[in-house]
Amino acid sequence: MLDAFTRIQLPLVGAAQPELPRSVGRWIQHSQGEIWFCALVFSAVTLLICVITLAEAHPLLQSGKTIKNINYQISANCSRLQNKVSGKSKRGAQFLTELAPLCRISSSDGEEYTIYSCIRGRLIEVNENILTNPALLQEKPSTEGYIAVVLPKFEESKSITQGLLTQKEYEEVLLKRRSSAS
Amino acid sequence: MSPLTEKDRPIIQLLLSTGTCPRCVLRFCCVGSQMLYRHPHEELLKDLQKFLRNSHEEEGSVCLDVSNPPCKRLRLEPGEEGASDRNCNVAIPHLPGNICNVCLGVLQEFCEAGFVKKVCQKVNSADYQFISFVFSVSLPPQLSVRERAAWLGVKQNLGLPFPEDDIIQLKEAYKWIIHPQLSEELGVPADGKVFFSAFFFLRHILSLLFLVLDSLFYFTLQSVFTRMAVIKALEKIKEEDFLKHFPCPPSSPKNHCDALEIQCNNGAVFVAGRYNKYSRNLPQTPWIIDGERKLESSVEELISEHLMAQFKADSFNFSSSGREDVDVRTLGNGRPFAIELVNPHRIHFTTEEMRRLQQAINDSSDKIQVRDLQLVTRSAIGRMKEGEEEKTKTYSALIWTDKAIQREDITFLDDIKELKLDQKTPLRVLHRRPLAVRCRLIHTMRSEYIDEHHFRLHLKTQAGTYIKEFVHGDFGRTKPNIGSLLNRTADILELDVESVDVDWPPTLAD
Ligand SMILES: [Zn+2]
């Protein structure tokens, strides 16, 4: 199972009616306590749009790692690149569970990391820019180096927010892990 | 009585004898002369009786008042024989006080001067300004049944094959009679095209008629009362069944219709102008999420509450040439807007009164200001919407950068012309707009250096450009963006609309 926590930053530009505040962030914690993923959440009370990114603690963002390959082809007959949505209601989107892989990233040291959706919902888009410019992932992991955009079901939006932890809790988890490691 | 012909004789005979009013008789004789219906009720009755008597005395010879010579062929038809028989046991004289078995008094007492006076009193007490009117009537549903019964009765008894559609509609005849009277009393013309209308609701106590219909048409209790249900049922029922269950022509009612109520309604009027918004905490329209109000006021409310009070309207509809976000100010000459005022009581305003109204709006809030406030036509509002897509917009943005900037780092922005953007639908609006990449133009930019981390940027752009996203890049989804142009992380702190270049409504001199 994936556990998660949230961080809320005050948007630099206030909520634009009835649009969403720009930078409300929520970080997602991996089962073994590894905080590897982050969902930047755009929320308007009950509606969410989630931008999935790597969290600071992800091994790929630690010094010395070089990204060799990013692959959105997650199985023989499923590629996240084939995801096409249309209309206001975003018809045709692939449906993702929390554990659905978005892509696999391999580093030059031979490791391969699977990036999970972490959020149940429909896949709106994947970031194709990181295919041509993998460095974005490490240089700007929480903005231009995002992985994908996921739209949760309206009725699940609330439970998704409640399941996440705050930035403070995130930092506490990081601190605890560092102190227990040393 | 000029339009009546020999072939009308049996119809007149039959209907008068069953208690039909003279005006309904005229309708069933398909008389299309409006003037005739306006003759006093008693006079019409006398004329009809005279018409019958004359021909009776002259043994079916050509009637005095017949406009067209009687048709020989028609006289030889079998129906004529029956009609002649009836001529002998002449009609029971229709008494003026009787309630008509077809219209239930609609063409009787509801056409009288007393009733007209009552309507006008009601209209005047509602205190409306209007320059013309229409008077509409909502009739009890059972009138459709009586109408059908009368027609079937005529058809059955006289064997006359005239189509139901040729009968003058009750509503039509009623308007012919009532409109000139109301027009005189109210002092304005009756005009179907415009503005003021009074609706008049009539009701009739349910008679046995409906119980019969009920079993016959399998009405549910609720649908019995609606006009559509009755009309539908009448379409379905066979003529034989109808004749079996219902007296044709219909029997005389005990009660006439009651006037339930009179509703007045005035056509909408439109007010246009331009507004400035000086607050970063004020939405254009009420901001309500999940039934919960997020901010206490809005541009449309600050403007329209004054208009509603002055025009004494029931409600309003606000529209504008585009809109700004809640945290965006609108400066310069402001944004064109129009407000539809629904069912206003007051519609005449002088230029001076409009000026005072504008002043009252401006005096009541420092969050907004209004200019060029004026009365406009419905069609002129299209001009405002036309401009929305094509016209350019001018903005001013306060921008922050993570890495320090020097004056010369940003001057190159001033030289960029017609910069082409690829904008993916911003994440903040993705929940209500389709995902797409749109091409937009930044026509010109002008930078104003503030300090190492701040500068102001003036932009002239194509309508529909998302400025916030152009500044911060929206996860690299708007390309290029200020961040990518400066090779820094950039964010937007403030945004103002400096002008909306739509040349409507016309500018007014102060
Ligand atoms: Zn009548």
Side-chain angles (χ1 to χ4, degrees), chain B residues 128-129 266-269 311-314 341-347:
Chain B
Y128 277 96
Q129 287 181 339
N266 217 353
V269 294
F311 285 76
K312 299 191 170 70
D314 285 355
L341 293 148
V342 178
N343 192 17
H345 284 246
R346 212 186 142 194
I347 58 170

Side-chain angles (χ1 to χ4, degrees), chain A residues 12-13 15 19 22 90 125, chain B residues 326-327 428 430 477 491:
Chain A
L12 289 168
V13 171
E19 295 159 354
R22 185 158 51 80
K90 319 289 184 292
E125 66 179 37
Chain B
V326 63
D327 54 3
R428 68 188 161 98
L430 201 52
R477 296 168 79 259
D491 214 329

Side-chain angles (χ1 to χ4, degrees), chain B residues 20-25 27 100-108 170:
Chain B
T20 306
C21 77
R23 287 178 177 128
C24 281
V25 171
R27 293 197 299 115
C100 173
N101 63 334
V102 181
C103 69
L104 299 172
V106 172
L107 297 185
Q108 298 172 303
L170 177 54

Side-chain angles (χ1 to χ4, degrees), chain B residues 367-382:
Chain B
K367 292 182 172 177
I368 60 148
Q369 289 287 290
V370 164
R371 78 188 70 203
D372 302 333
L373 194 74
Q374 56 197 282
L375 287 161
V376 297
T377 61
R378 181 191 292 269
S379 56
I381 289 168

Side-chain angles (χ1 to χ4, degrees), chain B residues 377-433:
Chain B
T377 61
R378 181 191 292 269
S379 56
I381 289 168
R383 301 264 313 276
M384 181 177 77
K385 288 283 165 193
E386 270 166 37
E388 197 174 64
E389 288 304 303
E390 305 145 20
K391 297 296 163 71
T392 60
K393 308 229 164 153
T394 316
Y395 297 92
S396 162
L398 179 61
I399 297 169
W400 167 88
T401 58
D402 62 339
K403 283 183 260 171
I405 44 164
Q406 301 306 315
R407 217 168 275 273
E408 55 271 24
D409 292 333
I410 56 170
T411 47
F412 78 98
L413 293 172
D414 300 24
D415 301 326
I416 299 177
K417 302 279 178 274
E418 305 302 319
L419 177 66
K420 236 181 85 186
L421 306 185
D422 287 320
Q423 268 197 321
K424 271 192 187 165
T425 306
L427 289 170
R428 68 188 161 98
V429 302
L430 201 52
H431 64 288
R432 58 187 170 88
R433 301 262 165 81

